């Protein structure tokens, strides 16, 4: 009987095997990468939900007993030591030789079965026996091993790995596995195909071409000639060309005006460390693309449909907002966007893929961290990619903003034309008016009357349909008001037209107008008032006046409690349509409450139809902004009252008046006599 032996200290094996990976797709991806490096043309993945097993088969070069011992069971074996490429000329994906251990994060039992030139062999690894009892893999008699003739090569070579009694619930993660596997590999080799199935269903081919982001992209910048085909795809999609921005890295570098953090033409010299730790100058380069989709609903609508034998559909959604790094055809880091973004709304539309084979150059120090989920961030190659990505992200987000402004402007023009046409039709539809004007005026005079009527009617309509929402607040609480504005703006509400929020220059009092006169004019019957109630609110004459005006004119009101409870809101402010407390807003319950709160604003205050899914997305995007983290939202500034005739205590030492002061979120009564240091801490109840 053949013998099999693991070449690694068992304690190290136990540590690595149980902690290397945590998710099923990454484990399967390591096995698929092995198949790729074995020059397989096809890989078949079977997820058995009945017996909780995973089988990965390929038609690669196969292994004999020596191959299994010297490569598969030789933990840490570097495939690239002899050559950077396979016999078929493929870039070898594996390097550290430890990825295969990832299977033991899913199972304790692995069967390694292979056939080479018609001769079968194999062994079974029991992880617990190997690591705890120092046992070796159990050999399997080659005569007892059979292979599906359709799943091996013509010269009868191939490998099958069987993960037995998988701990994870495969049935629940089937769609997730497919979704991730499609994103993990970028192998543009038509001779390497990946298939997947559940149980005995028909195999379904995984194709990256299904990830058709370019059909819904309105901006893109491509890096490198290898990616120029992406420009053609974006140019030919259905989005109007005047609402697109398409450019290349070369054009961007040429057009740079600022000298700060200026990007250079690729390739260029970069100092790095070689595999021996010595300094070395290399030609740094990369290729890829970064862009934006035209809308989040379109991104979410993209789906991959796999039709099973029973004609049921397994739909895998493609809801991406990421910039991924690939090296040697395989995903190296899923998302660097979180490291370079500036929390601008348009970043939610960003997607990109960068291909950095230089990260996996064998002559240079190994950048990949042990769990293969990212790279060493202090390496100069990585910091250079981050620097380039940050600049290009800023550029593409600005382009997206410009596109949205063009769309908004054109929509406004179209709406004006439509409104003018409707007013004109209404005007001439009155037969009596038409009869009188036909008798009294010539054509030029009628045109003047028609024009004046349009202007007058539009002015009246504008006065009745513009400012719909008024956010009543103290400056101390402007963060909470801006949160409301940001969610509405993300939902695509024209906040400059509909919202009054005096802490935002764009939404405040028009230049040249008195604030009190302006606000008095705004209190119409259809105005909704959102009160940001806090201790500071009642310290302001104008805020108290706004509360009284809303009550007197019977406005629809929404109450937001910041650093007080709802019971602390003084009458007559008790006619709220909805109330919400801005505390722990990232919890599930509070998100539901916030959703209902904004739903009321949109449906009642703005009289708009509601798209709940779109509202949820808008809320989610804004909640992810660092400005609205729990540490900011949950910690309003300490309230320091300054109301007229506020009583002041007398200093017990010098009998001078003591003033109320705030420093570092602490209230203190401090003696007004500068030569006296007497003070008392204050607690407001």
């Amino acid at each position: 009987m053949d013998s099999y032996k693991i070449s690694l200290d068992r304690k190290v094996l136990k540590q690595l095997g149980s902690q290397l990976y945590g998710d099923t797709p990454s484990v399967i991806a390591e096995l698929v990468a092995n198949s790729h490096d074995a020059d397989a043309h096809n890989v078949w993945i079977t997820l058995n939900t009945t017996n909780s097993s995973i089988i990965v088969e390929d038609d690669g070069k196969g292994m004999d007993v020596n191959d299994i011992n010297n490569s598969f069971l030789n933990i840490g074996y570097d495939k690239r030591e002899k050559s950077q490429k396979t016999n078929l000329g493929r870039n070898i994906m594996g390097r550290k030789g430890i990825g295969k251990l990832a299977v033991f994060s899913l199972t304790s039992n692995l069967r390694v079965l292979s056939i080479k030139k018609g001769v079968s062999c194999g062994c079974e690894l029991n992880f617990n026996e190997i690591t705890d009892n120092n046992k070796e893999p159990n050999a399997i008699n080659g005569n007892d091993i059979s292979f599906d003739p359709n799943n091996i090569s013509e010269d009868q070579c191939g490998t099958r790995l069987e993960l037995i009694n998988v701990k994870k619930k495969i049935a629940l993660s089937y769609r997730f596995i497919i979704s991730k596997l499609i994103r993990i590999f970028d192998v543009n080799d038509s001779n390497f195909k990946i298939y997947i199935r559940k149980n005995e269903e028909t195999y379904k081919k995984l194709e990256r071409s299904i990830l058709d982001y370019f059909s819904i992209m309105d901006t893109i910048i491509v890096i490198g000639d290898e990616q120029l085909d992406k420009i053609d795809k974006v140019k030919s999609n259905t989005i109007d060309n005047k609402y697109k921005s398409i450019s290349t890295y070369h054009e961007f570098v040429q057009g740079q005006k600022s000298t700060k953090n200026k990007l250079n033409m690729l390739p260029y010299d970069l100092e790095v460390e070689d595999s021996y730790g010595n300094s070395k100058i290399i030609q740094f380069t990369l290729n890829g693309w970064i862009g934006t989709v035209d809308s989040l609903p379109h991104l979410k609508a993209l789906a991959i449909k796999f039709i099973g034998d029973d004609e049921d559909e397994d739909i895998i959604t493609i809801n991406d907002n990421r910039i991924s790094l690939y090296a040697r055809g395989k995903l190296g880091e899923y998302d660097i966007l979180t490291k370079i973004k500036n929390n601008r709304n348009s970043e939610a539309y960003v997607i990109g893929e960068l291909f950095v084979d230089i990260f996996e150059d064998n002559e240079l120090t190994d950048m990949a961290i042990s769990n293969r989920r990212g790279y060493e961030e202090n390496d100069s190659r990585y910091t250079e990619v981050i620097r380039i990505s940050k600049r290009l992200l800023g550029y593409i987000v600005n382009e997206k903003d410009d596109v949205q402004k063009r769309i908004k402007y054109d929509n406004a023009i179209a709406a004006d034309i439509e409104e003018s046409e409707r007013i004109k039709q209404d005007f001439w539809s009155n037969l009596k008016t038409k009869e009188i004007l036909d008798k009294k005026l010539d054509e030029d005079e009628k045109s003047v009357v028609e024009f004046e009527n349009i202007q007058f009617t539009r002015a009246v309509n504008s006065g009745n349909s513009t400012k719909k929402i008024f956010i009543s607040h103290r400056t101390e609480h402007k963060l909470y008001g801006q949160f409301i504005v940001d969610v509405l703006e993300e939902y695509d509400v024209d906040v400059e037209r509909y919202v009054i929020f005096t802490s935002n220059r764009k939404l405040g009092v028009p230049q040249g107008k008195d604030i009190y006169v302006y606000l008095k004019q705004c209190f119409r019957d259809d105005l909704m008032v959102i009160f940001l109630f806090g201790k500071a609110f009642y310290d302001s004459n104008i805020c108290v006046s706004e509360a009284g005006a809303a009550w007197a004119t019977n406005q629809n009101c929404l109450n937001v409690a910041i650093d007080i409870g709802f019971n602390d809101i003084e009458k007559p402010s008790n006619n709220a349509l909805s109330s919400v407390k801005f505390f722990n807003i990232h919890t599930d319950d509070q998100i539901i409450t916030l959703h209902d709160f904004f739903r009321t604003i949109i449906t009642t205050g703005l009289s708009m139809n509601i798209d709940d899914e779109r509202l949820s997305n808008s809320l989610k995007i804004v909640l992810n902004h660092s400005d609205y983290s729990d540490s900011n939202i949950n910690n309003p500034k300490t309230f320091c009252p300054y109301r007229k005739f506020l009583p002041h205590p007398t200093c017990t030492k010098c009998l001078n008046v003591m003033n109320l002061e705030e420093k570092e979120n602490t209230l203190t009564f401090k003696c007004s006599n500068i030569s006296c240091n007497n003070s008392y801490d204050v607690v407001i109840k």
Side-chain angles (χ1 to χ4, degrees):
M1 181 69 76
D2 300 319
S3 63
Y4 296 90
K5 186 174 182 179
I6 292 177
S7 303
L8 184 71
D9 185 280
R10 304 310 166 98
K11 293 179 181 177
V12 177
L13 178 62
K14 187 170 186 177
Q15 184 72 12
L16 285 174
S18 60
Q19 299 182 16
L20 192 60
Y21 292 110
D23 63 278
T24 306
S26 296
V27 174
I28 296 175
E30 285 298 328
L31 304 183
V32 173
N34 286 341
S35 299
H36 172 271
D37 293 346
D39 279 337
H41 295 291
N42 301 281
V43 182
W44 297 272
I45 303 165
T46 300
L47 305 176
N48 283 318
T49 60
T50 52
N51 62 8
S52 194
S53 66
I54 298 174
I55 299 174
V56 179
E57 303 173 82
D58 68 53
D59 58 359
K61 61 185 180 182
M63 295 182 287
D64 57 24
V65 175
N66 288 333
D67 294 328
I68 293 177
N69 277 317
N70 295 332
S71 60
F72 191 89
L73 297 181
N74 185 1
I75 311 303
Y77 168 69
D78 189 347
K79 297 179 187 177
R80 301 186 209 164
E81 218 169 51
K82 295 180 181 178
S83 174
Q84 293 277 322
K85 294 184 179 290
T86 69
N87 292 337
L88 290 181
R90 297 174 178 174
N91 286 325
I92 296 176
M93 291 181 178
R95 182 171 187 177
K96 293 180 184 294
I98 61 174
K100 67 202 74 171
L101 295 179
V103 298
F104 295 120
S105 65
L106 298 183
T107 181
S108 297
N109 295 92
L110 171 67
R111 286 164 56 91
V112 182
L113 311 173
S114 198
I115 182 171
K116 188 172 184 178
K117 300 293 178 63
V119 179
S120 300
C121 64
C123 62
E124 183 170 359
L125 288 74
N126 184 303
F127 186 71
N128 296 328
E129 288 291 319
I130 291 170
T131 56
D132 295 338
N133 301 323
N134 209 35
K135 295 290 184 65
E136 298 293 351
N138 296 318
I140 300 174
N141 192 317
N143 296 326
D144 297 332
I145 301 172
S146 61
F147 289 88
D148 185 336
N150 296 316
N151 290 0
I152 58 176
S153 65
E154 291 182 359
D155 57 351
Q156 294 190 311
C157 293
T159 298
R160 182 167 77 247
L161 302 178
E162 300 178 357
L163 284 66
I164 312 299
N165 296 324
V166 174
K167 305 168 191 174
K168 300 289 180 72
K169 295 181 179 179
I170 302 173
L172 298 178
S173 57
Y174 177 61
R175 297 184 179 187
F176 174 66
I177 292 169
I178 293 175
S179 182
K180 286 295 290 291
L181 282 176
I182 289 176
R183 291 162 172 79
I184 287 175
F185 294 99
D186 183 61
V187 180
N188 298 314
D189 183 356
S190 60
N191 290 320
F192 184 67
K193 302 180 181 68
I194 304 172
Y195 302 88
I196 192 167
R197 69 176 179 178
K198 184 165 58 176
N199 301 321
E200 298 300 318
E201 295 176 356
T202 303
Y203 282 110
K204 302 145 192 178
K205 184 180 176 183
L206 302 184
E207 297 179 277
R208 270 182 60 81
S209 59
I210 299 173
L211 300 174
D212 190 15
Y213 305 115
F214 310 103
S215 65
I216 59 170
M217 290 180 71
D218 52 7
T219 76
I220 190 170
I221 182 169
V222 299
I223 311 167
D225 293 342
E226 306 94 322
Q227 304 295 333
L228 290 178
D229 64 308
K230 308 300 189 300
I231 285 181
D232 295 331
K233 291 179 180 179
V234 175
K235 281 183 176 179
S236 62
N237 69 26
T238 58
I239 299 171
D240 195 321
N241 285 328
K242 65 180 178 179
Y243 302 134
K244 293 179 188 174
S245 172
I246 298 171
S247 57
T248 65
Y249 180 85
H250 184 86
E251 292 168 340
F252 174 79
V253 171
Q254 282 188 323
Q256 291 177 108
K257 295 179 182 179
S258 173
T259 57
K260 185 179 179 182
N261 199 22
K262 192 172 183 179
L263 298 185
N264 302 317
M265 289 292 184
L266 295 166
Y268 55 81
D269 289 347
L270 183 69
E271 184 177 355
V272 299
E273 282 188 5
D274 65 17
S275 56
Y276 300 101
N278 301 317
S279 178
K280 180 179 180 179
I281 301 297
I282 63 164
Q283 286 284 287
F284 174 81
T285 191
L286 75 161
N287 69 82
W289 53 272
I290 298 174
T292 61
V293 296
D294 65 334
S295 72
L296 295 179
H298 283 171
L299 179 61
K300 191 168 185 179
L302 283 177
I304 307 165
K305 297 182 180 180
F306 293 91
I307 310 300
D309 293 337
D310 55 1
E311 300 300 321
D312 287 339
E313 294 183 352
D314 290 310
I315 301 176
I316 316 302
T317 59
I318 312 170
N319 192 10
D320 282 343
N321 177 212
R322 61 182 171 88
I323 297 178
S324 300
L325 301 182
Y326 289 83
R328 290 178 166 263
K330 185 183 175 188
L331 183 69
E333 185 168 351
Y334 185 71
D335 186 21
I336 63 169
L337 180 59
T338 55
K339 300 175 182 178
I340 62 176
K341 66 181 183 178
N342 293 309
N343 291 320
R344 291 172 59 182
N345 288 352
S346 295
E347 288 170 346
Y349 300 86
V350 169
I351 186 168
E353 295 181 345
L354 302 177
F355 303 91
V356 283
D357 285 356
I358 202 164
F359 281 12
E360 298 278 355
D361 190 325
N362 254 35
E363 295 182 1
L364 305 179
T365 185
D366 189 358
M367 287 177 59
I369 56 180
S370 61
N371 65 9
R372 307 297 291 182
R373 291 188 181 181
Y375 296 98
E376 174 53 56
E377 296 184 10
N378 292 324
D379 191 287
S380 58
R381 289 167 286 175
Y382 191 87
T383 56
E384 201 64 14
V385 168
I386 291 296
R387 186 178 76 89
I388 293 172
S389 302
K390 195 162 189 173
R391 283 297 309 280
L392 297 185
L393 174 65
Y395 166 76
I396 212 69
V397 167
N398 286 338
E399 292 299 296
K400 175 68 174 181
D401 289 342
D402 287 343
V403 165
Q404 290 181 317
K405 286 176 184 176
R406 292 200 295 271
I407 293 172
K408 197 171 184 179
Y409 176 80
D410 287 353
N411 287 344
I413 295 296
D416 284 346
I417 293 172
E418 183 180 347
E419 184 184 23
S420 297
E421 190 62 31
R422 179 183 54 77
I423 293 171
K424 185 167 67 173
Q425 289 177 359
D426 289 345
F427 180 70
W428 290 112
S429 64
N430 189 313
L431 298 179
K432 189 68 175 176
T433 300
K434 186 176 186 305
E435 180 183 348
I436 293 171
L437 294 180
D438 283 342
K439 289 181 180 179
K440 300 287 185 182
L441 306 176
D442 59 27
E443 291 302 316
D444 289 339
E445 291 170 328
K446 283 193 287 186
S447 295
V448 171
V449 172
E450 180 183 90
F451 177 76
E452 294 294 340
N453 176 69
I454 290 173
Q455 296 301 101
F456 174 77
T457 305
R458 287 180 61 184
V460 172
N461 290 345
S462 178
N464 290 333
S465 65
T466 52
K467 300 301 183 181
K468 300 275 192 181
I469 305 295
F470 173 48
I471 302 175
S472 176
H473 70 294
R474 278 294 296 268
T475 305
E476 288 87 342
H477 298 147
K478 64 182 180 181
L479 174 69
Y480 306 91
Q482 190 60 48
F483 174 81
I484 295 170
V485 170
D486 285 348
V487 173
L488 293 177
E489 192 166 23
E490 185 61 41
Y491 187 77
D492 210 21
V493 171
D494 187 349
V495 293
E496 291 188 37
R497 181 178 184 183
Y498 293 122
V499 179
I500 306 168
F501 178 52
T502 55
S503 285
N504 185 319
R505 183 176 54 82
K506 296 188 300 181
L507 311 181
V509 179
Q511 190 172 0
K513 283 200 173 186
D514 179 89
I515 183 172
Y516 302 105
V517 174
Y518 178 69
L519 293 178
K520 183 179 179 181
Q521 293 171 344
C522 288
F523 271 81
R524 305 181 313 272
D525 290 342
D526 61 345
L527 184 72
M528 170 178 278
V529 184
I530 302 174
F531 288 107
L532 305 187
F533 282 118
K535 295 171 183 174
F537 186 92
Y538 293 104
D539 201 40
S540 165
N541 285 331
I542 191 168
C543 286
V544 173
S545 298
E546 288 163 2
W551 170 77
T553 54
N554 197 28
Q555 302 302 314
N556 288 325
C557 299
L558 299 179
N559 292 341
V560 175
I562 297 171
D563 57 356
I564 62 175
F566 294 121
N567 292 334
D568 295 318
I569 297 174
E570 295 183 1
K571 292 184 177 182
S573 301
N574 59 356
N575 59 336
L577 289 169
S578 178
S579 297
V580 63
K581 187 169 178 61
F582 270 30
F583 185 77
N584 289 336
I585 62 174
H586 295 85
T587 62
D588 291 341
D589 288 344
Q590 276 292 77
I591 290 174
I592 293 172
T593 302
L594 284 172
H595 185 281
D596 293 341
F597 175 77
F598 282 102
R599 201 177 198 283
T600 303
I601 295 175
I602 293 167
T603 57
T604 303
L606 297 171
S607 301
M608 294 179 177
N609 293 327
I610 191 70
D611 183 335
D612 284 307
E613 189 172 5
R614 186 168 144 210
L615 176 57
S616 293
N617 286 334
S618 301
L619 190 56
K620 180 180 178 182
I621 290 168
V622 177
L623 283 170
N624 284 332
H625 289 191
S626 59
D627 288 345
Y628 306 120
S629 64
D630 280 333
S631 59
N632 287 336
I633 288 291
N634 293 342
N635 294 288
K637 290 185 178 180
T638 304
F639 167 58
C640 183
Y642 292 104
R643 289 291 297 179
K644 208 170 186 178
F645 309 122
L646 181 73
H648 292 265
T650 302
C651 179
T652 56
K653 290 184 179 180
C654 65
L655 301 181
N656 278 292
V657 172
M658 302 189 78
N659 295 325
L660 184 64
E661 296 182 357
E662 182 269 327
K663 186 177 182 181
E664 297 180 354
N665 290 338
T666 301
L667 291 177
T668 306
F669 273 118
K670 188 173 181 180
C671 183
S672 59
N673 183 355
I674 59 174
S675 63
C676 178
N677 293 322
N678 195 20
S679 64
Y680 301 103
D681 289 339
V682 176
V683 177
I684 296 180
K685 296 182 178 180

